[in-house]
Amino acid sequence: MQRNEIALLSFLPNMHIKLTNPINKNLFSFPLHIGESDSWSLLHTLNSIPGTVKIITEELDDLWLPYNLVLHGDSVTTTSSCKIHHDSGKITTAHVKLSLEITIIAVNYDKVSCTVRVQGKNITANEHVPTRSFHTLTLEKNKEFVLTKKVWDSVAVDTLREGCSMASSADLAVVLMQQQGLAHVFLVGKRVTMLCAKINGSTSSSSNFDKFFENVFRAFMKHVDFSTIRCVVIGSPGCVKDEFRVINLIRETNVVPEIRVFREFLDMVTSNSDHARYGPKSVETTHEMLAIETLLITDDHFRSAEIETRHEYVGLVKSVKKAGGKVFVFLSMHVSGEELAKLTGIAAMLRFPLPDLDR
């Protein structure tokens, strides 16, 4: 498939993606299964071109996707109710349902109504709403909307991929074990509880117990994504859970990676400050010296109203990864993101000390 072709990608029953390019009007379609790296690699090769996405959010907790995906300068198309006035001897008021397309100026999340409100100027002319007039569209549960971007960068593609992951909203992992050698691993989210694994094994001897625990642990590590899991619960009758010998390993890994990395950074600032830097200019300078081992950045940088600024930080993330560094993107609405924002929202842990950098 060439870069200027159109790809129709079906992710889930509630989400369809259509990358469009005005140069070539051919249409190619194929199913995309979540987790297939080749399909996502193809999507990445098609980025940096204009694209259109049709999305329906089926659960309230899915609305984080449009909040993080819709940016200043994008366009959104969806239905809206408009109040109109008739004056034919008697003034009357009525509400008309319209399909509007607006160029985005602002995006806000309403915690009370659990909706995303996008504001902008109307693009499509109709008899009720003039072009270039300001309008607010509401994105909510079970309401379809179409998002068009002039450029699909790698951050937008990754956000879309995360939104398409069935396990992305699960923030609780549960391991239930029984004395007779039966265990279940669940992922629990606001939208669904999913049985990920069922483990059967003999517990008639100490060696069998060890093998059973090993299989439980392998299943646990296979299905649990520690970048989203906030808590792990291990339960059983009697003392089986206490004999689960890998529980210490789980305790070491059940901390959300971003929180753990941020704590490491704060410790480094106080105990080994030559290996830590924060602030846009300082981080940029250290990257020019290929000194960044780990980059910490809040997602606010990718929602900047300035397209050049967004591209600058997207390029920084790509460049750090290409140089072998790790990148952690912090959600601005999460407590760890709020703490990082107090330190300008961007920081780095270095491969080697740079004691004289600030001088």
XYZ file of all heavy atoms in Angstrom, residues 8-53:
364
model
N -9.135 1.852 4.740
C -10.304 1.729 5.607
C -9.999 0.643 6.616
O -9.818 -0.511 6.271
C -11.552 1.364 4.801
C -12.836 1.169 5.613
C -13.204 2.459 6.300
C -13.950 0.697 4.716
N -9.914 1.014 7.900
C -9.502 0.091 8.936
C -10.631 -0.112 9.928
O -11.093 0.841 10.541
C -8.265 0.644 9.671
C -7.116 1.112 8.775
C -6.005 1.684 9.642
C -6.596 -0.031 7.944
N -11.081 -1.324 10.112
C -12.149 -1.622 11.074
C -11.523 -2.136 12.357
O -10.925 -3.208 12.358
C -13.103 -2.663 10.502
O -13.724 -2.170 9.339
N -11.649 -1.382 13.428
C -11.035 -1.752 14.696
C -11.986 -2.568 15.565
O -11.706 -3.681 15.952
C -10.620 -0.496 15.461
C -9.450 0.200 14.846
C -9.621 1.095 13.824
C -8.175 -0.065 15.298
C -8.545 1.732 13.264
C -7.089 0.572 14.740
C -7.277 1.477 13.726
N -13.085 -1.991 15.902
C -14.073 -2.623 16.771
C -15.447 -2.298 16.199
O -15.581 -1.410 15.369
C -13.962 -2.063 18.197
C -12.682 -2.405 18.969
C -12.670 -1.635 20.288
C -12.583 -3.886 19.246
N -16.500 -3.002 16.650
C -17.833 -2.666 16.142
C -18.202 -1.209 16.358
O -19.007 -0.665 15.633
C -18.741 -3.603 16.958
C -17.878 -4.758 17.313
C -16.509 -4.161 17.540
N -17.608 -0.567 17.368
C -18.002 0.810 17.672
C -17.010 1.839 17.140
O -17.122 3.003 17.427
C -18.129 0.997 19.186
C -16.787 0.857 19.886
O -15.995 0.000 19.525
N -16.542 1.690 20.866
N -16.022 1.389 16.363
C -15.021 2.350 15.935
C -14.502 1.992 14.551
O -14.070 0.875 14.301
C -13.854 2.379 16.924
C -12.892 3.511 16.707
S -11.658 3.593 18.006
C -12.683 3.943 19.423
N -14.572 2.935 13.633
C -14.046 2.722 12.291
C -13.142 3.882 11.934
O -13.450 5.035 12.219
C -15.178 2.612 11.273
C -16.105 1.481 11.545
N -15.819 0.179 11.204
C -17.302 1.447 12.175
C -16.810 -0.601 11.589
N -17.722 0.148 12.187
N -12.047 3.577 11.293
C -11.070 4.604 10.972
C -10.861 4.652 9.473
O -10.693 3.626 8.822
C -9.735 4.338 11.674
C -9.967 4.429 13.173
C -8.661 5.303 11.239
C -8.774 4.047 13.965
N -10.842 5.831 8.929
C -10.671 6.006 7.498
C -9.617 7.077 7.265
O -9.851 8.257 7.506
C -12.001 6.424 6.867
C -11.991 6.494 5.351
C -13.378 6.868 4.875
C -13.482 6.850 3.364
N -14.835 7.216 2.926
N -8.443 6.659 6.839
C -7.390 7.611 6.528
C -7.556 8.034 5.086
O -7.508 7.207 4.182
C -6.005 6.986 6.748
C -5.668 6.623 8.191
C -4.280 6.028 8.253
C -5.750 7.832 9.072
N -7.750 9.306 4.857
C -8.005 9.769 3.501
C -6.871 10.633 2.999
O -6.147 11.260 3.764
C -9.303 10.605 3.435
O -9.116 11.775 4.226
C -10.470 9.817 3.977
N -6.707 10.644 1.702
C -5.720 11.506 1.060
C -6.318 12.006 -0.240
O -6.788 11.208 -1.062
C -4.422 10.736 0.790
C -3.304 11.667 0.349
O -3.390 12.295 -0.686
N -2.270 11.744 1.149
N -6.336 13.309 -0.457
C -6.997 13.847 -1.638
C -6.277 13.530 -2.946
O -6.841 13.681 -4.017
C -6.983 15.368 -1.375
C -5.839 15.574 -0.451
C -5.786 14.352 0.405
N -5.022 13.059 -2.877
C -4.255 12.821 -4.101
C -4.774 11.605 -4.843
O -4.897 11.583 -6.061
C -2.762 12.643 -3.765
C -2.228 13.905 -3.084
C -1.957 12.328 -5.015
C -0.793 13.778 -2.634
N -5.099 10.545 -4.118
C -5.487 9.288 -4.732
C -6.826 8.857 -4.158
O -6.977 8.743 -2.963
C -4.415 8.221 -4.442
C -4.615 6.968 -5.263
O -5.717 6.463 -5.399
N -3.520 6.459 -5.808
N -7.803 8.599 -5.004
C -9.156 8.280 -4.550
C -9.441 6.789 -4.568
O -10.584 6.369 -4.473
C -10.191 9.019 -5.426
C -10.089 10.530 -5.331
C -10.270 11.011 -3.913
C -10.198 12.529 -3.821
N -10.320 13.011 -2.454
N -8.406 5.945 -4.724
C -8.618 4.507 -4.651
C -8.998 4.118 -3.229
O -8.668 4.802 -2.274
C -7.347 3.752 -5.052
C -6.990 3.987 -6.507
O -7.872 4.148 -7.334
N -5.705 4.017 -6.804
N -9.651 3.000 -3.091
C -10.084 2.546 -1.772
C -9.597 1.122 -1.531
O -9.803 0.243 -2.350
C -11.609 2.584 -1.663
C -12.202 2.106 -0.331
C -11.767 3.034 0.789
C -13.712 2.056 -0.413
N -8.924 0.930 -0.426
C -8.436 -0.383 -0.041
C -8.985 -0.685 1.348
O -8.931 0.178 2.221
C -6.908 -0.424 -0.025
C -6.284 -0.152 -1.362
C -6.116 1.145 -1.812
C -5.901 -1.201 -2.178
C -5.558 1.395 -3.044
C -5.330 -0.955 -3.421
C -5.169 0.345 -3.862
N -9.470 -1.869 1.577
C -10.023 -2.181 2.889
C -9.572 -3.568 3.336
O -9.347 -4.459 2.529
C -11.553 -2.121 2.864
O -12.059 -3.109 1.999
N -9.426 -3.727 4.642
C -9.068 -5.003 5.233
C -9.383 -4.943 6.712
O -9.419 -3.869 7.300
C -7.573 -5.311 5.036
C -6.660 -4.288 5.630
C -6.175 -4.439 6.923
C -6.293 -3.148 4.922
C -5.339 -3.497 7.474
C -5.464 -2.210 5.479
C -4.984 -2.378 6.753
N -9.616 -6.112 7.361
C -9.893 -6.101 8.803
C -8.620 -5.884 9.591
O -7.556 -6.380 9.218
C -10.470 -7.503 9.065
C -9.851 -8.350 8.002
C -9.706 -7.454 6.794
N -8.721 -5.140 10.676
C -7.579 -4.921 11.571
C -7.919 -5.486 12.930
O -8.898 -5.106 13.537
C -7.271 -3.427 11.695
C -6.173 -3.068 12.675
C -4.842 -3.625 12.194
C -6.066 -1.570 12.837
N -7.117 -6.427 13.403
C -7.364 -7.048 14.700
C -6.455 -6.416 15.738
O -5.264 -6.250 15.509
C -7.119 -8.558 14.628
C -7.979 -9.255 13.620
N -9.328 -9.455 13.811
C -7.681 -9.748 12.395
C -9.834 -10.079 12.761
N -8.859 -10.261 11.892
N -7.032 -6.081 16.870
C -6.261 -5.469 17.940
C -5.112 -6.383 18.342
O -5.288 -7.571 18.540
C -7.153 -5.186 19.155
C -8.268 -4.241 18.740
C -6.349 -4.587 20.294
C -7.799 -2.950 18.145
N -3.927 -5.793 18.463
C -2.774 -6.556 18.877
C -1.908 -7.009 17.714
O -0.805 -7.505 17.916
N -2.396 -6.883 16.470
C -1.584 -7.265 15.327
C -0.619 -6.127 15.016
O -1.008 -5.070 14.521
C -2.465 -7.562 14.106
C -3.242 -8.868 14.248
C -3.927 -9.251 12.949
O -3.844 -8.467 11.987
O -4.533 -10.330 12.889
N 0.649 -6.358 15.281
C 1.639 -5.291 15.141
C 1.771 -4.826 13.705
O 2.030 -3.655 13.441
C 2.996 -5.761 15.662
O 3.430 -6.913 14.962
N 1.598 -5.750 12.727
C 1.749 -5.368 11.325
C 0.712 -4.334 10.928
O 0.994 -3.391 10.193
C 1.617 -6.594 10.425
C 2.800 -7.540 10.581
O 3.832 -7.084 11.119
O 2.685 -8.705 10.171
N -0.537 -4.524 11.432
C -1.606 -3.582 11.088
C -1.334 -2.207 11.671
O -1.519 -1.190 11.022
C -2.949 -4.124 11.588
O -3.267 -5.339 10.958
N -0.870 -2.189 12.931
C -0.581 -0.895 13.547
C 0.653 -0.266 12.921
O 0.742 0.951 12.802
C -0.401 -1.059 15.048
C -1.714 -1.136 15.754
C -2.267 -2.211 16.365
C -2.689 -0.096 15.865
N -3.491 -1.909 16.863
C -3.782 -0.612 16.578
C -2.734 1.238 15.439
C -4.897 0.126 16.872
C -3.857 1.990 15.740
C -4.921 1.424 16.443
N 1.605 -1.080 12.491
C 2.778 -0.536 11.800
C 2.355 0.131 10.506
O 2.872 1.185 10.136
C 3.788 -1.652 11.516
O 4.289 -2.189 12.716
N 1.368 -0.475 9.832
C 0.863 0.126 8.607
C 0.223 1.467 8.900
O 0.437 2.448 8.173
C -0.164 -0.809 7.950
C -0.888 -0.249 6.715
C 0.124 0.075 5.633
C -1.919 -1.246 6.201
N -0.549 1.533 9.984
C -1.182 2.796 10.347
C -0.134 3.863 10.631
O -0.288 5.021 10.269
C -2.089 2.597 11.561
C -2.908 3.812 12.008
C -3.747 4.332 10.855
C -3.794 3.444 13.174
N 0.970 3.452 11.289
C 2.039 4.401 11.567
C 2.697 4.882 10.280
O 3.093 6.039 10.172
C 3.086 3.771 12.490
C 2.786 3.996 13.934
N 3.016 5.197 14.553
C 2.250 3.178 14.883
C 2.660 5.117 15.828
N 2.179 3.913 16.047
N 2.823 4.004 9.279
C 3.447 4.432 8.024
C 2.552 5.396 7.261
O 3.021 6.160 6.429
C 3.739 3.223 7.117
O 2.506 2.588 6.747
C 4.652 2.230 7.808
N 1.259 5.369 7.581
C 0.336 6.260 6.888
C 0.143 7.582 7.602
O -0.613 8.433 7.153
C -1.032 5.577 6.749
C -1.096 4.368 5.808
C -2.440 3.698 5.931
C -0.822 4.782 4.385
N 0.839 7.782 8.736
C 0.611 9.030 9.458
C 1.285 10.194 8.750
O 1.942 10.039 7.730
C 1.052 8.926 10.918
C 2.553 8.783 11.081
O 3.327 9.004 10.158
N 2.965 8.392 12.273
N 1.092 11.368 9.278
C 1.571 12.615 8.678
C 0.834 12.936 7.383
O 1.338 13.693 6.552
C 3.086 12.556 8.431
O 3.777 12.380 9.645
N -0.357 12.367 7.177
C -1.199 12.720 6.046
C -2.579 13.080 6.586
O -2.901 12.785 7.739
C -1.319 11.562 5.036
C -1.994 10.340 5.687
C 0.030 11.176 4.465
C -2.288 9.225 4.710
N -3.422 13.731 5.771
C -4.778 14.032 6.237
C -5.532 12.753 6.523
O -5.325 11.720 5.883
C -5.389 14.784 5.048
C -4.227 15.306 4.278
C -3.143 14.287 4.440
N -6.413 12.789 7.510
C -7.160 11.587 7.849
C -8.477 11.886 8.526
O -8.653 12.938 9.135
N -9.420 10.954 8.372
C -10.742 11.086 8.972
C -11.055 9.862 9.811
O -10.787 8.738 9.387
C -11.815 11.248 7.879
O -11.556 12.429 7.138
C -13.203 11.339 8.497
N -11.613 10.079 10.991
C -11.951 9.003 11.910
C -13.418 9.111 12.302
O -13.889 10.195 12.654
C -11.094 9.084 13.197
C -11.404 7.925 14.124
C -9.624 9.110 12.853
